[in-house]
């Protein structure tokens, strides 16, 4: 069963930043990597990814430059910037916290109030 749209939306920024941490990439390649990582359960469209990449660029989390693909066509590549690395670290800390909470609930850990 594919993840909910809310979960996909909430995970988009940390996923994009994590993929760019591996190396510079372009939109279609990011879409393909997400599809592969999710075993086909998460299907992003260019229309969903492009606005997120532009927002990340505007916030200086990613930089962009034009390059030429093997087929000779121009592509816009994205790279992770210093501010993006800091944001990724913060995002991972948040996700780790929620994962810990879910694991504790799953394991029956009592909630302290």
């Amino acid at each position: 069963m594919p993840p909910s749209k809310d979960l996909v939306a909430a995970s988009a920024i940390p996923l994009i930043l994590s993929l760019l941490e591996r190396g510079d990439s372009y939109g279609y390649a990011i879409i393909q990597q997400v599809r592969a990582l999710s075993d086909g359960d998460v299907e992003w469209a260019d229309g969903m990814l492009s606005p997120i990449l532009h927002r990340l660029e505007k916030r200086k989390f990613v930089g962009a430059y034009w390059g030429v693909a093997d087929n000779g066509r121009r592509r816009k590549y994205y790279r992770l910037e210093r501010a993006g690395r800091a944001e990724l670290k913060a995002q991972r800390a948040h996700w780790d916290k929620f994962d810990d909470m879910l694991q504790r609930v799953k394991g029956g850990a009592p909630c302290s109030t």
Side-chain angles (χ1 to χ4, degrees):
M1 178 166 99
S4 72
K5 289 183 180 182
D6 290 337
L7 185 57
V8 170
S11 64
I13 289 175
L15 266 173
I16 293 166
L17 296 177
S18 293
L19 290 170
L20 292 176
E21 183 181 44
R22 292 179 169 184
D24 298 3
S25 193
Y26 55 95
Y28 183 73
I30 293 170
I31 290 170
Q32 294 300 317
Q33 290 172 29
V34 168
R35 181 180 298 131
L37 287 168
S38 71
D39 295 324
D41 285 340
V42 177
E43 294 279 337
W44 286 357
D46 187 52
M48 174 263 189
L49 180 61
S50 292
I52 296 171
L53 287 169
H54 290 133
R55 279 197 313 271
L56 292 172
E57 189 177 2
K58 187 174 182 178
R59 295 175 70 189
K60 307 286 191 222
F61 292 160
V62 301
Y65 61 93
W66 289 96
V68 179
D70 294 338
N71 62 7
R73 295 180 65 190
R74 287 175 30 116
R75 285 190 177 137
K76 191 172 187 179
Y77 287 83
Y78 296 89
R79 71 176 162 272
L80 188 62
E81 299 290 353
R82 182 176 292 142
R85 290 184 193 285
E87 179 65 15
L88 177 57
K89 184 177 179 180
Q91 292 267 337
R92 284 181 174 160
H94 296 308
W95 278 95
D96 287 346
K97 178 66 174 174
F98 280 98
D99 181 56
D100 180 58
M101 290 167 38
L102 288 170
Q103 294 303 321
R104 289 171 51 201
V105 169
K106 180 180 171 184
C111 298
S112 59
T113 53

